[in-house]
Amino acid sequence: MTNELTDLEIATKTEEKNSLEFFNTVYELYEKAESSAGGCIERFYCIAGKKIRLRFAGEALIPYMTPALGHLAIEPVSDPDLTVCLWDSSSTNTIMPPPPWRRNQHHPKRGEIIGFNSDRIHTSFQWGAFALSLLDRDRNLGIYWVETPAQLPYWETGSPLRTIFNVWMGKQKIQLVHAGAVGIPSGGVLLVGKGGSGKSTTALSCLNSELFYASDDYSLVTAEPNPTVFSIYSTGKKNADDVERLPFLTKAISNSDRLDSEKALYFINEHFPEKIISSFPIRAILMPRITGKPETTLTPTSFSAALLALAPSTVIQLPGAGKEACQIMMQVASKVNCYYLELGTEVAQIPQVIFNLISQA
């Protein structure tokens, strides 16, 4: 037992050393990239009450990473809670060396790098976006790198810096979840469910109603002191073959020339800024499901059913989400009413049913 414990301690210290050394190496490269680009360009945001500074080495990544966060932009602050340094190799002529890990150290789904994560440092690499994300929890400092902005897929521009935000916010007891959210200042609902359940249609349809829009795909939630949701991305995605159900949103599709290979991506803040809400108390969790019937109705269910619809997709999609994330989601689900939202074919009924539920609450 003593030898096993000693081996574990050695492995932990090795991982701490490797992860910190790699972080510092990449940070030095960022500084070189910033110098090569002629300096940094900064943008500031207030996300879930936290002051975030994005520090770009040049301007190449700005149009890809900032539109989804535009609704939360603030004036510059001298004391940000988190700083994220962003750079790409192509525009800064700063090459990222080959990674110091083997391919079998890469988590196939979530992206964490085995042997390069510790209590202090998070390291992950997303193959789909070919993007490296690092976070030093002690310094509240993140780094985001890509080879070239041109290779970023549409979903990365729709929800940028997910990994860094997820890991850092978790430290603040605020959890990034795979869920949409709509409501009014006095309260609203969290929309949860797997792809194809009608979650996006539900959230986006509310833009044409009395309800306000917090998110479609990702939201931030906290359980204390009361369940609350925070907007993070003012974007929405919808299957290309279903966009005609929401014709009022046609002008907001940002990638209409690529719908043969991509989902429709909407930048809501650019077209409906007055409909976005930054936070509200969570009054209920709704799980949309398509019925094929004309009417939209609500069916009460248990918090465990809601948790089952929320937690697995969140944990699978987001590097760094684990036990603490599940605890926050469990606390939120246990404190509010939960329903199946039986979606009818009359889209206009959907937001009205939600509004009536919130009003009664």
Side-chain angles (χ1 to χ4, degrees):
M1 180 64 72
T2 302
N3 289 337
E4 291 179 359
L5 184 59
T6 301
D7 290 344
L8 178 60
E9 289 175 341
I10 292 173
T12 300
K13 289 182 179 180
T14 300
E15 189 161 13
E16 290 174 350
K17 179 177 180 290
N18 289 344
S19 59
L20 182 57
E21 286 181 352
F22 181 66
F23 184 98
N24 289 335
T25 296
V26 177
Y27 186 58
E28 289 176 4
L29 288 170
Y30 166 78
E31 291 180 318
K32 290 180 180 179
E34 184 181 292
S35 178
S36 175
C40 73
I41 302 172
E42 296 183 333
R43 296 289 186 269
F44 294 83
Y45 304 90
C46 182
I47 304 175
K50 307 299 181 182
K51 294 170 289 187
I52 311 295
R53 173 173 62 185
L54 302 188
R55 188 176 172 186
F56 294 88
E59 61 184 19
L61 277 170
I62 291 177
Y64 295 87
M65 308 305 288
T66 61
L69 300 167
H71 63 305
L72 301 174
I74 59 173
E75 293 298 314
V77 296
S78 59
D79 58 339
D81 299 302
L82 170 69
T83 294
V84 182
C85 301
L86 303 93
W87 64 289
D88 71 285
S89 290
S90 62
S91 72
T92 64
N93 295 312
T94 307
I95 305 302
M96 176 71 76
W101 56 78
R102 296 184 299 273
R103 192 175 184 118
N104 62 1
Q105 291 176 261
H106 180 267
H107 190 287
K109 291 185 178 180
R110 302 204 321 174
E112 289 102 333
I113 306 301
I114 300 169
F116 287 81
N117 278 275
S118 65
D119 290 341
R120 176 176 176 176
I121 303 294
H122 176 88
T123 307
S124 63
F125 184 82
Q126 280 67 53
W127 281 106
F130 210 77
L132 175 69
S133 296
L134 300 168
L135 177 69
D136 184 336
R137 296 175 177 89
D138 287 2
R139 285 185 279 183
N140 294 309
L141 179 64
I143 306 174
Y144 179 88
W145 169 86
V146 293
E147 178 68 34
T148 172
Q151 73 190 17
L152 286 171
Y154 73 97
W155 66 78
E156 189 76 356
T157 60
S159 48
L161 302 173
R162 283 189 315 280
T163 297
I164 292 173
F165 287 151
N166 175 58
V167 176
W168 187 82
M169 286 289 181
K171 181 182 176 182
Q172 322 303 316
K173 305 300 182 185
I174 302 169
Q175 180 58 44
L176 184 64
V177 294
H178 179 220
V182 294
I184 54 179
S186 60
V189 300
L190 202 63
L191 303 167
V192 305
K194 62 183 181 179
S197 63
K199 178 164 55 70
S200 295
T201 296
T202 299
L204 291 167
S205 70
C206 294
L207 288 166
N208 202 26
S209 75
E210 300 174 87
L211 296 170
F212 293 90
Y213 182 93
S215 67
D216 158 44
D217 213 20
Y218 295 101
S219 303
L220 289 163
V221 300
T222 187
E224 300 297 341
N226 298 301
T228 303
V229 66
F230 302 95
S231 176
I232 181 168
Y233 305 122
S234 61
T235 52
K237 297 197 297 288
K238 190 159 178 55
N239 288 332
D241 59 1
D242 198 38
V243 294
E244 68 277 1
R245 295 191 69 198
L246 301 172
F248 72 96
L249 282 175
T250 300
K251 65 178 182 180
I253 299 175
S254 65
N255 56 340
S256 56
D257 58 331
R258 301 189 302 274
L259 296 185
D260 58 331
S261 58
E262 301 176 357
K263 286 186 176 183
L265 177 63
Y266 306 92
F267 286 97
I268 305 301
N269 189 53
E270 296 179 5
H271 299 274
F272 303 92
E274 74 285 354
K275 296 299 295 181
I276 296 177
I277 189 169
S278 59
S279 69
F280 54 73
I282 301 172
R283 302 301 186 200
I285 295 177
L286 306 185
M287 290 168 283
R289 56 185 185 185
I290 299 169
T291 67
K293 299 177 182 178
E295 304 293 323
T296 293
T297 59
L298 292 168
T299 302
T301 187
S302 64
F303 94 90
S304 58
L307 187 63
L308 187 61
L310 174 63
S313 61
T314 294
V315 172
I316 290 172
Q317 289 192 29
L318 298 172
K323 179 181 178 181
E324 294 79 7
C326 291
Q327 289 176 338
I328 293 174
M329 289 184 280
M330 182 183 298
Q331 290 170 357
V332 170
S334 66
K335 291 182 177 182
V336 300
N337 293 324
C338 303
Y339 302 87
Y340 287 109
L341 180 63
E342 315 285 5
L343 296 177
T345 55
E346 297 294 331
V347 175
Q349 283 192 14
I350 298 173
Q352 189 60 53
V353 168
I354 297 174
F355 184 81
N356 292 343
L357 174 66
I358 296 170
S359 301
Q360 292 169 5

